Amino acid sequence: MNVSDIKNVAGIGGGVIGGSWAVLFAMKGLKVKLYDINDDCIANDKKTIEGNLDFLAANGAIKDRASVEANISFTTSMEEAVKDAQFIQESGPERINIKQDMLAQIEAAAPADAIIASSASGLPIGQIAENATHPERIIGGHPYNPPHLIPLVELTKNPNTTEENVQLAKEFYESLGKEAIILRKDCPGYICNRLQLAVFREMIDLVERGVCSVEDADKALTFGPGIRWAIFGHNMIMQLGNKDGISGMIDMLGGGFNLCADIAAWDTIPADYGKLAQEQVDEMMKNYSDEIGHDNAAIAQYRDKMLIDILKLHGKF
Ligand SMILES: NC(=O)c1ccc[n+]([C@@H]2O[C@H](COP(=O)([O-])OP(=O)(O)OC[C@H]3O[C@@H](n4cnc5c(N)ncnc54)[C@H](O)[C@@H]3O)[C@@H](O)[C@H]2O)c1
């Protein structure tokens, strides 16, 4: 199968992630059949999708909302969802028995060569696929929320996934405008969540040590490294930061005060941080401008509007 043969996509589960994937596939002109377990879940999935479409239309990210919406159909029959699909994106609950059960149902009705990608955010794809009939076409396709806006997708392989199928999945995601990276080996948390947690651990530590407030830790990240990271990764930032490039930068960092020795190294998140941070985050939200908003829903909309602007700068919209 070639990437141009992929015309019909099945989405399994239409919650936060499945509803967002469905919108992305439909925006790119693919026909999506979205499966969920019952009519109530489908009603919720429709609401999620309509919300995503309303937002995209209001922000000029889709021109013909009706035709995008018409690409998505809904079903409570797994067979109906997958029988004609060339690509299946599973976004059901993150529980191993459910993932394995969904996979068995998918494989019972899907064409034998359809690619099956799991959105799983922690469970290893090897474990999800351990009872599969055709593990060679099963991959992890871990998005970053929300997948219809954030380009990254992390691909993981089970021991039997063929290189050809991983490459096909990568090309398929790239044809949708995504940035796909393939993990060379299994790694808990994959790449993104580990990077994010490493920075967050240090932020928590700085607050707990009394060096700064929660608000200032966020401000330092957003208006310092974060704004550069929205353009280039840290290796390239280091390259640009020294006349001898990244190798010069590493010599410089290695030769000076060893900051690494002072960086947080604890292995569980301090239990008191949730309460401490919540009070300060609540205060921070009160003090935001009306343009940003004062509750989670409004602030998330502001974030997504800004995301669209950044994505436009990257030529992704
Ligand atoms: N939320 C995130 O930020 C995020 C990010 C990346 C990956 N993920 C992963 O994506 C997957 C879905 O997460 P979510 O946040 O969308 O969850 P969710 O709870 O919002 O959605 C789960 C969906 O699965 C459906 N479902 C329930 N039981 C099912 C079954 N037996 N068979 C098929 N579908 C079933 C639900 O009706 C719902 O539509 C998980 O594996 C999660 O780890 C989540």
Side-chain angles (χ1 to χ4, degrees):
M1 181 167 40
N2 291 315
V3 73
S4 55
D5 298 324
I6 302 177
K7 306 263 192 274
N8 300 322
V9 177
I12 310 303
V16 174
I17 294 300
S20 175
W21 273 122
V23 165
L24 176 75
F25 297 138
M27 277 166 77
K28 302 294 174 181
L30 296 161
K31 295 284 175 206
V32 191
K33 280 192 187 158
L34 192 58
Y35 163 86
D36 217 320
I37 44 176
N38 57 41
D39 290 337
D40 285 348
C41 290
I42 295 228
N44 280 333
D45 300 349
K46 283 185 179 163
K47 257 191 232 152
T48 306
I49 287 170
E50 277 164 17
N52 289 339
L53 291 173
D54 286 345
F55 174 80
L56 289 170
N59 288 284
I62 46 173
K63 285 181 191 70
D64 185 357
R65 183 200 153 124
S67 68
V68 174
E69 199 162 6
N71 282 340
I72 307 173
S73 57
F74 299 85
T75 178
T76 52
S77 156
M78 181 67 87
E79 187 190 355
E80 179 56 28
V82 303
K83 69 179 185 336
D84 301 318
Q86 292 87 33
F87 194 96
I88 299 159
Q89 184 78 41
E90 172 277 303
S91 306
E94 184 80 9
R95 294 229 296 281
I96 190 63
N97 58 332
I98 299 185
K99 293 272 190 215
Q100 289 182 340
D101 186 48
M102 280 187 294
L103 190 54
Q105 290 181 52
I106 294 168
E107 284 206 294
D113 63 345
I115 301 289
I116 305 174
S118 173
S119 298
S121 57
L123 293 168
I125 194 64
Q127 201 184 352
I128 294 173
E130 70 190 0
N131 305 320
T133 320
H134 287 290
E136 70 280 357
R137 46 62 181 276
I138 296 170
I139 59 155
H142 175 238
Y144 212 55
N145 188 33
H148 67 278
L149 293 180
I150 306 260
L152 189 80
V153 58
E154 298 178 288
L155 303 191
T156 52
K157 308 176 248 192
N158 77 72
N160 295 304
T161 316
T162 59
E163 207 42 47
E164 195 187 351
N165 282 335
V166 186
Q167 288 303 329
L168 176 58
K170 182 172 188 279
E171 267 181 57
F172 171 64
Y173 285 129
E174 286 171 348
S175 74
L176 308 176
K178 295 202 78 71
E179 293 289 334
I181 56 175
I182 301 172
L183 267 73
R184 293 182 181 166
K185 55 167 144 170
D186 240 352
C187 180
Y190 316 132
I191 297 172
C192 257
N193 285 335
R194 294 177 77 98
L195 296 176
Q196 183 169 266
L197 187 58
V199 173
F200 191 41
R201 177 168 65 174
E202 186 58 24
M203 290 172 84
I204 295 174
D205 203 53
L206 288 166
V207 172
E208 295 239 334
R209 280 204 219 180
V211 175
C212 60
S213 64
V214 166
E215 184 173 10
D216 282 352
D218 268 13
K219 209 181 259 185
L221 187 63
T222 303
F223 295 107
I227 203 158
R228 296 196 305 204
W229 286 340
I231 306 162
F232 290 121
H234 204 62
N235 287 299
M236 183 50 68
I237 295 292
M238 293 286 99
Q239 168 70 15
L240 302 179
N242 187 285
K243 69 177 173 38
D244 295 321
I246 186 167
S247 57
M249 189 61 110
I250 296 299
D251 287 347
M252 193 183 84
L253 291 175
F257 165 60
N258 183 15
L259 189 53
C260 286
D262 200 53
I263 294 284
W266 36 262
D267 57 14
T268 49
I269 294 184
D272 65 336
Y273 187 73
K275 186 169 179 296
L276 179 162
Q278 190 64 62
E279 283 166 10
Q280 294 190 43
V281 167
D282 288 346
E283 190 59 30
M284 192 160 96
M285 286 164 71
K286 256 194 240 154
N287 295 334
Y288 273 161
S289 66
D290 292 345
E291 191 199 354
I292 297 178
H294 302 283
D295 57 40
N296 283 8
I299 296 168
Q301 284 236 343
Y302 177 82
R303 176 202 61 195
D304 291 350
K305 262 191 232 164
M306 295 286 271
L307 267 175
I308 289 180
D309 285 345
I310 294 169
L311 290 166
K312 281 183 182 159
L313 291 173
H314 276 286
K316 294 282 184 196
F317 252 101

